[in-house]
Amino acid sequence: MTMDLTFLGTGSAYPSPHRGASALVLRTEGDCWLFDCGEGTQTQLMKSQLKASRITKVFITHLHGDHLFGLPGLLCTVSLNLSPAQPPACVDIYGPRGLRHFLRVALSLSGSQLLFPYAVHELEPTADQCPPEPAGRRAGLLRRREPAPAGAPGRTIPLDAARDRYALLEDERFVVEAFRLFHRLPSFGFAVQERDRPGRLNTQLLRDLGVKPGPVYGRLKGGEAVTLESGRVLTPEEVLEEAVPGRKATLADGHRERAVEHGHSTPAMAAAVARACQARKLVLYHFSQRYRPLSLRAEGDGDGDDDDVVELRRQAEEALRDAGTEVVLADDFLTIPIPIKRLR
């Protein structure tokens, strides 16, 4: 099963001619999961090889506009381009508390009607993630009448305090969890863990046992014990090689500790997370718009300057010395394959 990450927008604050606002897509077997949706994301999708109609899940790290303002428009465009022959599937959207209200109000006030259902699943922040608000502001927001939702109402997901994680979804292929980040608004990172896949069948052993290729092979590969004509019960553990470890992608816009300046992480902080995760590759993105993409940087330009994006890579590499982690600077439309972990 193939899996890759495409960075649609690698800039912060606003979209520019050189860097789009925050958005990236995890693609696997044709399905696309969108992480953040800054202004202009649908235009970036049109410039890429990805299809907006393939987006089945959306994950929003926090409610700042450069991570969120593109979502209502993207949903409307997907709705306009729906194929009449294809029954619409529900799009699951995960993000901080307040995301549901934002979407309902934006779609209602603009008179937008989606031709597919969506469900917003909100993560409940902890008190230390929430900045102080003017008295009565949140109460006033919550008293407003929200428009009726389209499709399923969605869940409210609390923190599992024992594990310091939010359990978002679990199916036969993936386990997806969220974890707390600290920014100027309640923020979350996401970890996508692929389940281990069964190892290869030892076909030589099966032939020695007189088991011919056919449906029995599929049942054993699927984890089911079978009874042979001789009466012997053959278990998958006897004929399957070691399982293939699942791949993992961790997507975070900040560090767990409170970061400097505007609440964004430094390269050294991102490197500390990569080291803790034992990551093989760290991809830096969400750059200030003052950092020119590598594709526009001539050799020797800005070496050592504070506004040189290569200097950010150097800082991360310094923090990851001897960790064996590759550091990559993301430009818009960079696609990174996530390889299968090969057994030695």
PDB file of all heavy atoms in Angstrom, residues 8-43:
ATOM      1  N   LEU A   8       0.884  21.286   0.319  1.00  0.00           N
ATOM      2  CA  LEU A   8       0.216  22.229  -0.573  1.00  0.00           C
ATOM      3  C   LEU A   8       0.564  23.672  -0.227  1.00  0.00           C
ATOM      4  O   LEU A   8       0.649  24.524  -1.110  1.00  0.00           O
ATOM      5  CB  LEU A   8      -1.298  22.040  -0.500  1.00  0.00           C
ATOM      6  CG  LEU A   8      -1.844  20.708  -1.020  1.00  0.00           C
ATOM      7  CD1 LEU A   8      -3.340  20.622  -0.758  1.00  0.00           C
ATOM      8  CD2 LEU A   8      -1.552  20.561  -2.504  1.00  0.00           C
ATOM      9  N   GLY A   9       0.724  23.972   1.055  1.00  0.00           N
ATOM     10  CA  GLY A   9       1.066  25.314   1.492  1.00  0.00           C
ATOM     11  C   GLY A   9       2.049  25.251   2.634  1.00  0.00           C
ATOM     12  O   GLY A   9       1.813  24.554   3.621  1.00  0.00           O
ATOM     13  N   THR A  10       3.167  25.977   2.519  1.00  0.00           N
ATOM     14  CA  THR A  10       4.236  25.882   3.511  1.00  0.00           C
ATOM     15  C   THR A  10       4.505  27.211   4.204  1.00  0.00           C
ATOM     16  O   THR A  10       5.474  27.337   4.944  1.00  0.00           O
ATOM     17  CB  THR A  10       5.533  25.390   2.848  1.00  0.00           C
ATOM     18  OG1 THR A  10       5.887  26.285   1.778  1.00  0.00           O
ATOM     19  CG2 THR A  10       5.361  23.977   2.294  1.00  0.00           C
ATOM     20  N   GLY A  11       3.653  28.211   3.962  1.00  0.00           N
ATOM     21  CA  GLY A  11       3.856  29.521   4.561  1.00  0.00           C
ATOM     22  C   GLY A  11       2.920  29.767   5.730  1.00  0.00           C
ATOM     23  O   GLY A  11       1.964  29.034   5.964  1.00  0.00           O
ATOM     24  N   SER A  12       3.208  30.824   6.470  1.00  0.00           N
ATOM     25  CA  SER A  12       2.374  31.194   7.605  1.00  0.00           C
ATOM     26  C   SER A  12       1.731  32.553   7.355  1.00  0.00           C
ATOM     27  O   SER A  12       2.143  33.300   6.459  1.00  0.00           O
ATOM     28  CB  SER A  12       3.202  31.238   8.892  1.00  0.00           C
ATOM     29  OG  SER A  12       4.165  32.280   8.829  1.00  0.00           O
ATOM     30  N   ALA A  13       0.715  32.857   8.126  1.00  0.00           N
ATOM     31  CA  ALA A  13       0.032  34.161   8.172  1.00  0.00           C
ATOM     32  C   ALA A  13      -0.899  34.404   6.991  1.00  0.00           C
ATOM     33  O   ALA A  13      -2.071  34.730   7.181  1.00  0.00           O
ATOM     34  CB  ALA A  13       1.029  35.307   8.305  1.00  0.00           C
ATOM     35  N   TYR A  14      -0.413  34.241   5.761  1.00  0.00           N
ATOM     36  CA  TYR A  14      -1.239  34.529   4.588  1.00  0.00           C
ATOM     37  C   TYR A  14      -0.610  33.835   3.378  1.00  0.00           C
ATOM     38  O   TYR A  14       0.591  33.534   3.370  1.00  0.00           O
ATOM     39  CB  TYR A  14      -1.330  36.040   4.338  1.00  0.00           C
ATOM     40  CG  TYR A  14       0.022  36.715   4.251  1.00  0.00           C
ATOM     41  CD1 TYR A  14       0.735  36.775   3.060  1.00  0.00           C
ATOM     42  CD2 TYR A  14       0.603  37.285   5.385  1.00  0.00           C
ATOM     43  CE1 TYR A  14       1.977  37.373   2.980  1.00  0.00           C
ATOM     44  CE2 TYR A  14       1.851  37.886   5.325  1.00  0.00           C
ATOM     45  CZ  TYR A  14       2.538  37.936   4.110  1.00  0.00           C
ATOM     46  OH  TYR A  14       3.775  38.525   4.046  1.00  0.00           O
ATOM     47  N   PRO A  15      -1.391  33.592   2.319  1.00  0.00           N
ATOM     48  CA  PRO A  15      -0.799  33.022   1.107  1.00  0.00           C
ATOM     49  C   PRO A  15      -0.054  34.081   0.320  1.00  0.00           C
ATOM     50  O   PRO A  15      -0.466  35.251   0.282  1.00  0.00           O
ATOM     51  CB  PRO A  15      -2.017  32.503   0.323  1.00  0.00           C
ATOM     52  CG  PRO A  15      -3.158  33.346   0.799  1.00  0.00           C
ATOM     53  CD  PRO A  15      -2.861  33.704   2.232  1.00  0.00           C
ATOM     54  N   SER A  16       1.067  33.700  -0.276  1.00  0.00           N
ATOM     55  CA  SER A  16       1.850  34.620  -1.097  1.00  0.00           C
ATOM     56  C   SER A  16       2.107  33.960  -2.449  1.00  0.00           C
ATOM     57  O   SER A  16       1.800  32.788  -2.640  1.00  0.00           O
ATOM     58  CB  SER A  16       3.178  34.937  -0.401  1.00  0.00           C
ATOM     59  OG  SER A  16       4.090  33.859  -0.533  1.00  0.00           O
ATOM     60  N   PRO A  17       2.671  34.697  -3.416  1.00  0.00           N
ATOM     61  CA  PRO A  17       2.983  34.065  -4.716  1.00  0.00           C
ATOM     62  C   PRO A  17       3.968  32.910  -4.599  1.00  0.00           C
ATOM     63  O   PRO A  17       4.043  32.062  -5.488  1.00  0.00           O
ATOM     64  CB  PRO A  17       3.575  35.227  -5.527  1.00  0.00           C
ATOM     65  CG  PRO A  17       2.994  36.460  -4.915  1.00  0.00           C
ATOM     66  CD  PRO A  17       2.902  36.153  -3.444  1.00  0.00           C
ATOM     67  N   HIS A  18       4.732  32.871  -3.489  1.00  0.00           N
ATOM     68  CA  HIS A  18       5.783  31.861  -3.358  1.00  0.00           C
ATOM     69  C   HIS A  18       5.432  30.736  -2.390  1.00  0.00           C
ATOM     70  O   HIS A  18       5.947  29.632  -2.523  1.00  0.00           O
ATOM     71  CB  HIS A  18       7.088  32.526  -2.899  1.00  0.00           C
ATOM     72  CG  HIS A  18       7.526  33.651  -3.766  1.00  0.00           C
ATOM     73  ND1 HIS A  18       7.597  33.546  -5.145  1.00  0.00           N
ATOM     74  CD2 HIS A  18       7.892  34.925  -3.457  1.00  0.00           C
ATOM     75  CE1 HIS A  18       8.005  34.705  -5.648  1.00  0.00           C
ATOM     76  NE2 HIS A  18       8.190  35.554  -4.649  1.00  0.00           N
ATOM     77  N   ARG A  19       4.581  31.023  -1.422  1.00  0.00           N
ATOM     78  CA  ARG A  19       4.190  30.002  -0.448  1.00  0.00           C
ATOM     79  C   ARG A  19       2.703  30.138  -0.152  1.00  0.00           C
ATOM     80  O   ARG A  19       2.224  31.219   0.206  1.00  0.00           O
ATOM     81  CB  ARG A  19       4.971  30.133   0.856  1.00  0.00           C
ATOM     82  CG  ARG A  19       6.452  29.778   0.772  1.00  0.00           C
ATOM     83  CD  ARG A  19       7.049  29.642   2.171  1.00  0.00           C
ATOM     84  NE  ARG A  19       8.487  29.520   2.150  1.00  0.00           N
ATOM     85  CZ  ARG A  19       9.146  28.364   1.980  1.00  0.00           C
ATOM     86  NH1 ARG A  19       8.461  27.245   1.805  1.00  0.00           N
ATOM     87  NH2 ARG A  19      10.468  28.340   2.004  1.00  0.00           N
ATOM     88  N   GLY A  20       1.972  29.028  -0.286  1.00  0.00           N
ATOM     89  CA  GLY A  20       0.585  29.027   0.118  1.00  0.00           C
ATOM     90  C   GLY A  20       0.455  28.943   1.622  1.00  0.00           C
ATOM     91  O   GLY A  20       1.414  28.655   2.340  1.00  0.00           O
ATOM     92  N   ALA A  21      -0.753  29.214   2.128  1.00  0.00           N
ATOM     93  CA  ALA A  21      -1.016  29.062   3.560  1.00  0.00           C
ATOM     94  C   ALA A  21      -1.080  27.577   3.911  1.00  0.00           C
ATOM     95  O   ALA A  21      -1.210  26.711   3.045  1.00  0.00           O
ATOM     96  CB  ALA A  21      -2.316  29.767   3.933  1.00  0.00           C
ATOM     97  N   SER A  22      -1.029  27.284   5.197  1.00  0.00           N
ATOM     98  CA  SER A  22      -0.827  25.919   5.680  1.00  0.00           C
ATOM     99  C   SER A  22      -1.847  24.923   5.140  1.00  0.00           C
ATOM    100  O   SER A  22      -3.062  25.116   5.271  1.00  0.00           O
ATOM    101  CB  SER A  22      -0.891  25.898   7.206  1.00  0.00           C
ATOM    102  OG  SER A  22       0.261  26.486   7.748  1.00  0.00           O
ATOM    103  N   ALA A  23      -1.350  23.865   4.551  1.00  0.00           N
ATOM    104  CA  ALA A  23      -2.178  22.742   4.100  1.00  0.00           C
ATOM    105  C   ALA A  23      -1.258  21.629   3.631  1.00  0.00           C
ATOM    106  O   ALA A  23      -0.273  21.887   2.930  1.00  0.00           O
ATOM    107  CB  ALA A  23      -3.110  23.149   2.962  1.00  0.00           C
ATOM    108  N   LEU A  24      -1.563  20.422   4.032  1.00  0.00           N
ATOM    109  CA  LEU A  24      -0.847  19.262   3.489  1.00  0.00           C
ATOM    110  C   LEU A  24      -1.798  18.078   3.411  1.00  0.00           C
ATOM    111  O   LEU A  24      -2.800  18.026   4.117  1.00  0.00           O
ATOM    112  CB  LEU A  24       0.406  18.935   4.302  1.00  0.00           C
ATOM    113  CG  LEU A  24       0.283  18.528   5.760  1.00  0.00           C
ATOM    114  CD1 LEU A  24       0.139  17.023   5.884  1.00  0.00           C
ATOM    115  CD2 LEU A  24       1.520  18.976   6.534  1.00  0.00           C
ATOM    116  N   VAL A  25      -1.480  17.148   2.534  1.00  0.00           N
ATOM    117  CA  VAL A  25      -2.353  16.007   2.268  1.00  0.00           C
ATOM    118  C   VAL A  25      -1.593  14.711   2.467  1.00  0.00           C
ATOM    119  O   VAL A  25      -0.489  14.535   1.920  1.00  0.00           O
ATOM    120  CB  VAL A  25      -2.926  16.058   0.830  1.00  0.00           C
ATOM    121  CG1 VAL A  25      -3.640  14.760   0.482  1.00  0.00           C
ATOM    122  CG2 VAL A  25      -3.886  17.231   0.681  1.00  0.00           C
ATOM    123  N   LEU A  26      -2.172  13.829   3.266  1.00  0.00           N
ATOM    124  CA  LEU A  26      -1.677  12.460   3.401  1.00  0.00           C
ATOM    125  C   LEU A  26      -2.517  11.601   2.477  1.00  0.00           C
ATOM    126  O   LEU A  26      -3.746  11.537   2.607  1.00  0.00           O
ATOM    127  CB  LEU A  26      -1.806  11.975   4.841  1.00  0.00           C
ATOM    128  CG  LEU A  26      -1.432  10.511   5.113  1.00  0.00           C
ATOM    129  CD1 LEU A  26       0.042  10.261   4.858  1.00  0.00           C
ATOM    130  CD2 LEU A  26      -1.807  10.121   6.534  1.00  0.00           C
ATOM    131  N   ARG A  27      -1.869  10.952   1.512  1.00  0.00           N
ATOM    132  CA  ARG A  27      -2.588  10.146   0.520  1.00  0.00           C
ATOM    133  C   ARG A  27      -2.239   8.673   0.690  1.00  0.00           C
ATOM    134  O   ARG A  27      -1.076   8.307   0.838  1.00  0.00           O
ATOM    135  CB  ARG A  27      -2.230  10.600  -0.892  1.00  0.00           C
ATOM    136  CG  ARG A  27      -2.922   9.802  -1.994  1.00  0.00           C
ATOM    137  CD  ARG A  27      -2.649  10.399  -3.350  1.00  0.00           C
ATOM    138  NE  ARG A  27      -1.204  10.496  -3.621  1.00  0.00           N
ATOM    139  CZ  ARG A  27      -0.707  10.890  -4.793  1.00  0.00           C
ATOM    140  NH1 ARG A  27      -1.517  11.269  -5.759  1.00  0.00           N
ATOM    141  NH2 ARG A  27       0.608  10.943  -4.964  1.00  0.00           N
ATOM    142  N   THR A  28      -3.261   7.847   0.696  1.00  0.00           N
ATOM    143  CA  THR A  28      -3.052   6.412   0.793  1.00  0.00           C
ATOM    144  C   THR A  28      -4.152   5.686   0.040  1.00  0.00           C
ATOM    145  O   THR A  28      -5.340   5.916   0.283  1.00  0.00           O
ATOM    146  CB  THR A  28      -3.012   5.937   2.259  1.00  0.00           C
ATOM    147  OG1 THR A  28      -3.007   4.512   2.304  1.00  0.00           O
ATOM    148  CG2 THR A  28      -4.203   6.448   3.062  1.00  0.00           C
ATOM    149  N   GLU A  29      -3.748   4.853  -0.910  1.00  0.00           N
ATOM    150  CA  GLU A  29      -4.689   4.060  -1.693  1.00  0.00           C
ATOM    151  C   GLU A  29      -5.822   4.907  -2.275  1.00  0.00           C
ATOM    152  O   GLU A  29      -6.983   4.507  -2.283  1.00  0.00           O
ATOM    153  CB  GLU A  29      -5.267   2.934  -0.834  1.00  0.00           C
ATOM    154  CG  GLU A  29      -4.240   1.888  -0.405  1.00  0.00           C
ATOM    155  CD  GLU A  29      -3.613   1.159  -1.582  1.00  0.00           C
ATOM    156  OE1 GLU A  29      -4.339   0.456  -2.303  1.00  0.00           O
ATOM    157  OE2 GLU A  29      -2.398   1.307  -1.782  1.00  0.00           O
ATOM    158  N   GLY A  30      -5.484   6.099  -2.750  1.00  0.00           N
ATOM    159  CA  GLY A  30      -6.488   6.936  -3.390  1.00  0.00           C
ATOM    160  C   GLY A  30      -7.204   7.882  -2.470  1.00  0.00           C
ATOM    161  O   GLY A  30      -7.696   8.931  -2.902  1.00  0.00           O
ATOM    162  N   ASP A  31      -7.332   7.549  -1.174  1.00  0.00           N
ATOM    163  CA  ASP A  31      -7.972   8.452  -0.226  1.00  0.00           C
ATOM    164  C   ASP A  31      -7.010   9.571   0.156  1.00  0.00           C
ATOM    165  O   ASP A  31      -5.796   9.368   0.264  1.00  0.00           O
ATOM    166  CB  ASP A  31      -8.389   7.708   1.041  1.00  0.00           C
ATOM    167  CG  ASP A  31      -9.634   6.870   0.835  1.00  0.00           C
ATOM    168  OD1 ASP A  31     -10.356   7.133  -0.145  1.00  0.00           O
ATOM    169  OD2 ASP A  31      -9.886   5.961   1.637  1.00  0.00           O
ATOM    170  N   CYS A  32      -7.566  10.759   0.378  1.00  0.00           N
ATOM    171  CA  CYS A  32      -6.759  11.915   0.781  1.00  0.00           C
ATOM    172  C   CYS A  32      -7.265  12.457   2.105  1.00  0.00           C
ATOM    173  O   CYS A  32      -8.468  12.697   2.260  1.00  0.00           O
ATOM    174  CB  CYS A  32      -6.824  13.006  -0.286  1.00  0.00           C
ATOM    175  SG  CYS A  32      -6.051  12.570  -1.857  1.00  0.00           S
ATOM    176  N   TRP A  33      -6.353  12.638   3.038  1.00  0.00           N
ATOM    177  CA  TRP A  33      -6.663  13.266   4.319  1.00  0.00           C
ATOM    178  C   TRP A  33      -5.963  14.614   4.335  1.00  0.00           C
ATOM    179  O   TRP A  33      -4.739  14.701   4.179  1.00  0.00           O
ATOM    180  CB  TRP A  33      -6.175  12.411   5.485  1.00  0.00           C
ATOM    181  CG  TRP A  33      -6.890  11.089   5.624  1.00  0.00           C
ATOM    182  CD1 TRP A  33      -7.876  10.586   4.819  1.00  0.00           C
ATOM    183  CD2 TRP A  33      -6.669  10.111   6.646  1.00  0.00           C
ATOM    184  NE1 TRP A  33      -8.291   9.356   5.272  1.00  0.00           N
ATOM    185  CE2 TRP A  33      -7.566   9.046   6.389  1.00  0.00           C
ATOM    186  CE3 TRP A  33      -5.827  10.037   7.737  1.00  0.00           C
ATOM    187  CZ2 TRP A  33      -7.616   7.908   7.197  1.00  0.00           C
ATOM    188  CZ3 TRP A  33      -5.870   8.914   8.541  1.00  0.00           C
ATOM    189  CH2 TRP A  33      -6.757   7.858   8.283  1.00  0.00           C
ATOM    190  N   LEU A  34      -6.741  15.680   4.552  1.00  0.00           N
ATOM    191  CA  LEU A  34      -6.226  17.035   4.515  1.00  0.00           C
ATOM    192  C   LEU A  34      -5.936  17.525   5.932  1.00  0.00           C
ATOM    193  O   LEU A  34      -6.793  17.446   6.810  1.00  0.00           O
ATOM    194  CB  LEU A  34      -7.251  17.957   3.845  1.00  0.00           C
ATOM    195  CG  LEU A  34      -6.923  19.451   3.805  1.00  0.00           C
ATOM    196  CD1 LEU A  34      -5.686  19.713   2.946  1.00  0.00           C
ATOM    197  CD2 LEU A  34      -8.117  20.240   3.274  1.00  0.00           C
ATOM    198  N   PHE A  35      -4.725  18.032   6.135  1.00  0.00           N
ATOM    199  CA  PHE A  35      -4.326  18.579   7.427  1.00  0.00           C
ATOM    200  C   PHE A  35      -4.133  20.086   7.273  1.00  0.00           C
ATOM    201  O   PHE A  35      -3.221  20.536   6.583  1.00  0.00           O
ATOM    202  CB  PHE A  35      -3.040  17.912   7.931  1.00  0.00           C
ATOM    203  CG  PHE A  35      -3.228  16.463   8.290  1.00  0.00           C
ATOM    204  CD1 PHE A  35      -3.205  15.487   7.309  1.00  0.00           C
ATOM    205  CD2 PHE A  35      -3.435  16.082   9.613  1.00  0.00           C
ATOM    206  CE1 PHE A  35      -3.391  14.150   7.639  1.00  0.00           C
ATOM    207  CE2 PHE A  35      -3.624  14.755   9.943  1.00  0.00           C
ATOM    208  CZ  PHE A  35      -3.603  13.772   8.951  1.00  0.00           C
ATOM    209  N   ASP A  36      -5.028  20.837   7.891  1.00  0.00           N
ATOM    210  CA  ASP A  36      -5.118  22.288   7.800  1.00  0.00           C
ATOM    211  C   ASP A  36      -5.561  22.709   6.398  1.00  0.00           C
ATOM    212  O   ASP A  36      -5.362  21.987   5.403  1.00  0.00           O
ATOM    213  CB  ASP A  36      -3.827  22.987   8.201  1.00  0.00           C
ATOM    214  CG  ASP A  36      -3.651  23.048   9.721  1.00  0.00           C
ATOM    215  OD1 ASP A  36      -4.680  22.974  10.430  1.00  0.00           O
ATOM    216  OD2 ASP A  36      -2.514  23.159  10.201  1.00  0.00           O
ATOM    217  N   CYS A  37      -6.199  23.883   6.370  1.00  0.00           N
ATOM    218  CA  CYS A  37      -6.799  24.339   5.115  1.00  0.00           C
ATOM    219  C   CYS A  37      -6.799  25.860   5.103  1.00  0.00           C
ATOM    220  O   CYS A  37      -7.846  26.495   5.256  1.00  0.00           O
ATOM    221  CB  CYS A  37      -8.218  23.774   4.977  1.00  0.00           C
ATOM    222  SG  CYS A  37      -8.959  24.044   3.350  1.00  0.00           S
ATOM    223  N   GLY A  38      -5.614  26.436   4.921  1.00  0.00           N
ATOM    224  CA  GLY A  38      -5.507  27.884   4.874  1.00  0.00           C
ATOM    225  C   GLY A  38      -6.144  28.462   3.629  1.00  0.00           C
ATOM    226  O   GLY A  38      -6.518  27.744   2.689  1.00  0.00           O
ATOM    227  N   GLU A  39      -6.266  29.773   3.612  1.00  0.00           N
ATOM    228  CA  GLU A  39      -6.846  30.465   2.466  1.00  0.00           C
ATOM    229  C   GLU A  39      -6.124  30.083   1.177  1.00  0.00           C
ATOM    230  O   GLU A  39      -4.899  30.072   1.108  1.00  0.00           O
ATOM    231  CB  GLU A  39      -6.730  31.981   2.696  1.00  0.00           C
ATOM    232  CG  GLU A  39      -7.293  32.835   1.582  1.00  0.00           C
ATOM    233  CD  GLU A  39      -7.065  34.313   1.826  1.00  0.00           C
ATOM    234  OE1 GLU A  39      -6.590  34.663   2.941  1.00  0.00           O
ATOM    235  OE2 GLU A  39      -7.340  35.107   0.923  1.00  0.00           O
ATOM    236  N   GLY A  40      -6.881  29.754   0.131  1.00  0.00           N
ATOM    237  CA  GLY A  40      -6.292  29.406  -1.160  1.00  0.00           C
ATOM    238  C   GLY A  40      -5.942  27.944  -1.330  1.00  0.00           C
ATOM    239  O   GLY A  40      -5.361  27.560  -2.350  1.00  0.00           O
ATOM    240  N   THR A  41      -6.303  27.098  -0.357  1.00  0.00           N
ATOM    241  CA  THR A  41      -5.940  25.681  -0.459  1.00  0.00           C
ATOM    242  C   THR A  41      -6.556  25.033  -1.691  1.00  0.00           C
ATOM    243  O   THR A  41      -5.915  24.200  -2.359  1.00  0.00           O
ATOM    244  CB  THR A  41      -6.364  24.924   0.812  1.00  0.00           C
ATOM    245  OG1 THR A  41      -5.593  25.390   1.919  1.00  0.00           O
ATOM    246  CG2 THR A  41      -6.161  23.422   0.663  1.00  0.00           C
ATOM    247  N   GLN A  42      -7.802  25.394  -2.034  1.00  0.00           N
ATOM    248  CA  GLN A  42      -8.414  24.745  -3.198  1.00  0.00           C
ATOM    249  C   GLN A  42      -7.666  25.101  -4.485  1.00  0.00           C
ATOM    250  O   GLN A  42      -7.568  24.269  -5.401  1.00  0.00           O
ATOM    251  CB  GLN A  42      -9.891  25.089  -3.301  1.00  0.00           C
ATOM    252  CG  GLN A  42     -10.236  26.545  -3.452  1.00  0.00           C
ATOM    253  CD  GLN A  42     -11.735  26.731  -3.650  1.00  0.00           C
ATOM    254  OE1 GLN A  42     -12.335  26.112  -4.522  1.00  0.00           O
ATOM    255  NE2 GLN A  42     -12.348  27.560  -2.825  1.00  0.00           N
ATOM    256  N   THR A  43      -7.110  26.301  -4.569  1.00  0.00           N
ATOM    257  CA  THR A  43      -6.307  26.656  -5.741  1.00  0.00           C
ATOM    258  C   THR A  43      -5.027  25.833  -5.786  1.00  0.00           C
ATOM    259  O   THR A  43      -4.604  25.372  -6.856  1.00  0.00           O
ATOM    260  CB  THR A  43      -5.954  28.157  -5.708  1.00  0.00           C
ATOM    261  OG1 THR A  43      -7.161  28.917  -5.618  1.00  0.00           O
ATOM    262  CG2 THR A  43      -5.190  28.562  -6.951  1.00  0.00           C
TER     263      THR A  43
END
